[in-house]
Amino acid sequence: MTKNSALKDRQDRIDSNSGLTKSQSLSLNLSKQLEELFWSAIIWSVVVLVTGALLWLLSDVFWHGIGQVSWEFLTAEPRNAGRDGGIAPIIVSTALIIGVCLAVSIPISIGTGILLAEFASHSSGLGLLVRLSLDILAGVPSIVFGLFGNAFFCKTLGMGFSILSGGLTLACMVLPILIRSTQEGFVAVPDDYRRSAAALGISRIAILWELLLPAAMPGVAVGLLLGLGRAIAETAALIFTSGYVDRMPESLFDSGRSLCVHIYDLAMNVSGGEPNAYASALVLVVFLVLINGAISWLAEHFRQSKIFVV
């Protein structure tokens, strides 16, 4: 009788512990599910907030600017301090400034990114110095770049207020973004690519151009888009370098007003310039979307045309 009672008590304790373990497991699973739901709600809230802000901004610009955009607006010169007329010289100046910026920054950024990723180790003095310099430059305000461009390009080099001075200043601004993105794109390429190509006896230059650069092209394209977005939307630096002149430029040494400077001037300094400011902002947004789409297409086309040859 005593033996049976002891066995029964033992079985009751086992059942009790088993029930307690199941209860703890259910409580733990419930806690994990609540935590996942909480973080999912936070992430989706951020997504909705960012998307909503973008849609609100685009809809506001479209609503106020679409009525002013016409073929005459795109091809005529501004009149009456920008209240009337169009933005043809502004578009040409903006395109030239961005062209100078990209022509200077892309070769330097790709070369420096390759140097940091493929030739300079993380512990080398040169690599550490360049990376530190890039990190510092990435945090410098645009107004400081504008003052530097005015002092160096406009005055020291004697370029004056010109499209060339503005483009070179923007190139200095976007270099940290482009170099870092290019470097990360090359670092992300698996080492098996390099070993396999070296085992086949392919030269280092051919490996870089035919294999590594196409594989790193997504990172390069992202950096190019980010840098271009910052360059095309810049105002403070261009006020001190390319200037305010709204006439049609005849060369890179002429002063030219970018779209962002034009929008700023109409919105802040010209009474009654808000309608044309909204229209110019809409043109700027469309211009940015078209350039981004073209860069993405060219990057993907280059990547496919090269990677399949190898």
Side-chain angles (χ1 to χ4, degrees), residues 68-76 86:
Q68 302 293 326
V69 177
S70 63
W71 179 252
E72 181 182 0
F73 180 76
L74 298 176
T75 57

Side-chain angles (χ1 to χ4, degrees), residues 29 31 49 56 110 140 183 211 217 249:
N29 291 334
S31 177
L49 180 63
W56 175 79
I110 292 179
V140 174
Q183 177 192 355
L211 185 62
M217 189 52 66

